[in-house]
Amino acid sequence: MNYLSTLPDKTALLDWQKERGNNDIAKVNAHIHTPYSFSAFKNIPQIFEMARQEEIKVLGINDFYTTDGYAEFIEQAHKNKVFPLFNIEFIALDLDDQKKGRKVNDPGNPGRTYLSGKGLLYPPKLDEPFVTQLNTVQAETLKQVEAMVEKVQHILINMGSDIKITMAEIFEKYAVDQVRERHIAKIIRVKVFEKYTSSSDRKAFLEKLYGGKASTADLSDNSLVENEIRGMLLKAGGSAFVEEDPKAFLSVPQVKAIILNAGGIPTYPLLADNAKGEYTDFENDKEKLLQELKVRGINSIEFIPNRNDLKRLKEYARFFWDNQILVTFGTEHNTPEMIPLTIETRGHVDLDHDLKELSYQGACVVAAHQYLMAKGQTGFVKSNGHRNGDRLQPFVKLGHAVVSRYLTFLNKH
């Protein structure tokens, strides 16, 4: 059962919060991946152990294509006294942007568009034809990964190596119900490091695996090694690369429809500036981006601040928030590198007070949406994707009451 459905009605809840008079800002991370897709974490309890150590009070699961982790996530959230946000992520393809060569929020692939859904219903629900659409995408993605594993194994055989890479072992040891490129890179790194113990032997093997290209990764950093394996072998131009079938992608409108049917808020993950201060074609002009998102019916954006400059991040985040677009922040944790759950900007620079407040307020909007949907009411967006009102503040106020009441309940039990 979703505890939010048992909370008092909106008026009583707001009255409770007003009488309580607590306006503390909770520490938030609204976007992390778990082992149900790919994650730096070994398991979900590890996530909440870190959350407890870092005093994170609002945490959002955000796996690719699946809600399978929700039940375990909410169980651990209750146990560790954390408010859970239920999210999901997709990779869509906009054929028009692809034809134009326009890069959206994937800097390497024109037309490819990441979209998240925020505040989905719990327990999860999805109707037809959306279930079939999602299953088809998952099946096509799995075919691509299986083909890459086969290519890797052929490369190893041709090298005369006795190292074996199989889908069965990846599922058994490293994946829950999805296998992605990063899983393949991880098992290769583990197998190579198990077989060869010296740095010189490891480098020599990797160079052979890369077709004569030298390994330059720091072998003491597993994350860097796995990223190098992925880049050398599995990405475009690599000897084990397999091009994705167009059937592995839904269109942006199809993804939006799935998110809305699942009770969520369609959300655009905004890359913003890279280390050189560059933006993608789609994001370079924030005024035009705002209008483009409105045309596409998207009223929510999110950032992964560890890839952004603090000043530039604040400029973009404040601009969209002031234009009544929902803004949230997260760490993603969708690489092998284990970083803190506490949100930082590029160079390990903390969010300033204004951005910490905005981060919490954004999470409150999602919390209010989850509460209203659990009550069978209209949340931040309607079922057709249109806004429910044109101001963020009423949802911030309600969401603050929801989070406060929820955490109060957990702290008493």
Side-chain angles (χ1 to χ4, degrees):
M1 185 182 74
N2 188 344
Y3 171 70
L4 293 180
S5 65
T6 70
L7 290 179
D9 65 29
K10 178 179 173 181
T11 301
L13 196 57
L14 289 170
D15 286 345
W16 173 83
Q17 180 60 36
K18 183 177 181 180
E19 184 177 338
R20 185 169 176 265
N22 180 2
N23 292 313
D24 291 345
I25 299 170
K27 200 172 177 182
V28 175
N29 186 328
H31 183 138
I32 59 163
H33 291 261
T34 79
Y36 283 85
S37 51
F38 181 89
S39 176
F41 304 108
K42 295 177 182 177
N43 51 50
I44 287 183
Q46 182 190 15
I47 298 170
F48 284 91
E49 173 62 27
M50 283 182 64
R52 188 167 62 250
Q53 291 172 358
E54 298 181 41
E55 300 183 326
I56 305 285
K57 291 299 180 184
V58 183
L59 194 57
I61 185 172
N62 214 104
D63 284 321
F64 277 109
Y65 300 118
T66 185
T67 60
D68 289 351
Y70 282 16
E72 187 179 2
F73 193 82
I74 195 171
E75 177 186 351
Q76 288 296 318
H78 284 180
K79 182 178 178 181
N80 291 279
K81 304 181 186 343
V82 171
F83 186 95
L85 302 177
F86 296 109
N87 313 317
I88 194 169
E89 189 164 6
F90 298 87
I91 307 174
L93 186 63
D94 187 297
L95 293 175
D96 186 50
D97 283 332
Q98 187 182 53
K99 289 174 184 175
K100 292 176 181 175
R102 184 161 71 154
K103 294 172 183 176
V104 184
N105 57 2
D106 182 329
N109 296 282
R112 195 173 296 184
T113 306
Y114 288 76
L115 285 175
S116 288
K118 297 295 180 186
L120 272 63
L121 285 166
Y122 183 82
K125 72 97 187 171
L126 192 64
D127 302 322
E128 289 291 359
F130 308 112
V131 173
T132 298
Q133 289 176 354
L134 190 53
N135 289 342
T136 299
V137 169
Q138 289 174 326
E140 291 298 327
T141 301
L142 188 61
K143 282 182 188 178
Q144 183 214 14
V145 173
E146 288 173 336
M148 284 193 285
V149 169
E150 288 180 11
K151 278 197 168 187
V152 169
Q153 191 56 53
H154 283 306
I155 292 167
L156 292 169
I157 291 170
N158 291 336
M159 287 170 57
S161 173
D162 60 359
I163 292 176
K164 289 184 173 58
I165 306 293
T166 67
M167 288 291 289
E169 187 174 0
I170 294 173
F171 271 117
E172 179 186 353
K173 295 181 178 179
Y174 305 108
V176 179
D177 60 1
Q178 292 189 65
V179 177
R180 307 186 68 80
E181 287 174 9
R182 293 188 187 278
H183 291 105
I184 304 173
K186 182 170 186 174
I187 194 172
I188 292 171
R189 194 267 307 163
V190 170
K191 293 270 189 178
V192 172
F193 279 31
E194 284 176 347
K195 185 171 181 64
Y196 301 100
T197 56
S198 73
S199 293
S200 59
D201 287 344
R202 288 172 176 176
K203 275 194 177 290
F205 185 88
L206 289 172
E207 183 173 335
K208 196 172 180 182
L209 183 65
Y210 300 157
K213 296 178 182 176
S215 170
T216 58
D218 179 355
L219 297 187
S220 66
D221 189 322
N222 292 342
S223 175
L224 291 179
V225 175
E226 290 173 27
N227 285 337
E228 181 183 78
I229 291 169
R230 185 168 171 244
M232 287 285 200
L233 283 183
L234 308 174
K235 292 307 223 179
S239 53
F241 171 71
V242 175
E243 190 169 359
E244 291 157 312
D245 190 295
K247 288 185 289 186
F249 296 100
L250 297 170
S251 68
V252 170
Q254 285 176 317
V255 170
K256 273 187 59 189
I258 288 174
I259 292 168
L260 290 167
N261 184 257
I265 304 166
T267 299
Y268 176 78
L270 210 154
L271 275 179
D273 62 299
N274 64 17
K276 296 179 181 179
E278 300 167 332
Y279 296 81
T280 66
D281 310 327
F282 191 72
E283 297 181 0
N284 191 48
D285 184 322
K286 59 182 182 295
E287 296 273 2
K288 289 182 180 178
L289 176 58
L290 174 64
Q291 296 309 314
E292 185 70 48
L293 292 178
K294 286 182 177 179
V295 167
R296 297 187 183 206
I298 294 175
N299 299 287
S300 171
I301 64 170
E302 63 177 343
F303 295 91
I304 307 299
N306 57 31
R307 55 195 178 206
N308 303 128
D309 170 75
L310 174 62
K311 183 178 178 181
R312 289 172 180 262
L313 171 70
K314 188 169 183 176
E315 177 190 344
Y316 262 65
R318 177 51 64 186
F319 169 79
F320 281 95
W321 184 266
D322 289 346
N323 278 280
Q324 303 305 311
I325 298 295
L326 170 58
V327 177
T328 51
F329 302 97
T331 54
E332 205 167 41
H333 276 84
N334 188 36
T335 73
E337 183 183 8
M338 181 58 77
I339 60 176
L341 280 170
T342 300
I343 296 171
E344 301 173 320
T345 57
R346 191 165 56 237
H348 304 290
V349 178
D350 288 341
L351 299 181
D352 63 16
H353 177 76
D354 186 42
L355 285 178
K356 287 177 182 177
E357 183 176 46
L358 194 156
S359 176
Y360 177 61
Q361 289 176 331
C364 284
V365 175
V366 180
H369 177 83
Q370 289 185 179
Y371 161 78
L372 291 167
M373 295 296 288
K375 289 283 195 181
Q377 300 172 28
T378 303
F380 177 69
V381 293
K382 302 175 184 179
S383 59
N384 61 7
H386 294 164
R387 288 279 292 265
N388 179 15
D390 57 4
R391 307 296 295 174
L392 291 165
Q393 197 54 40
F395 292 95
V396 172
K397 189 176 179 182
L398 175 60
H400 178 52
V402 170
V403 172
S404 299
R405 184 68 173 240
Y406 199 94
L407 294 178
T408 298
F409 168 79
L410 292 180
N411 286 322
K412 288 181 178 178
H413 294 80

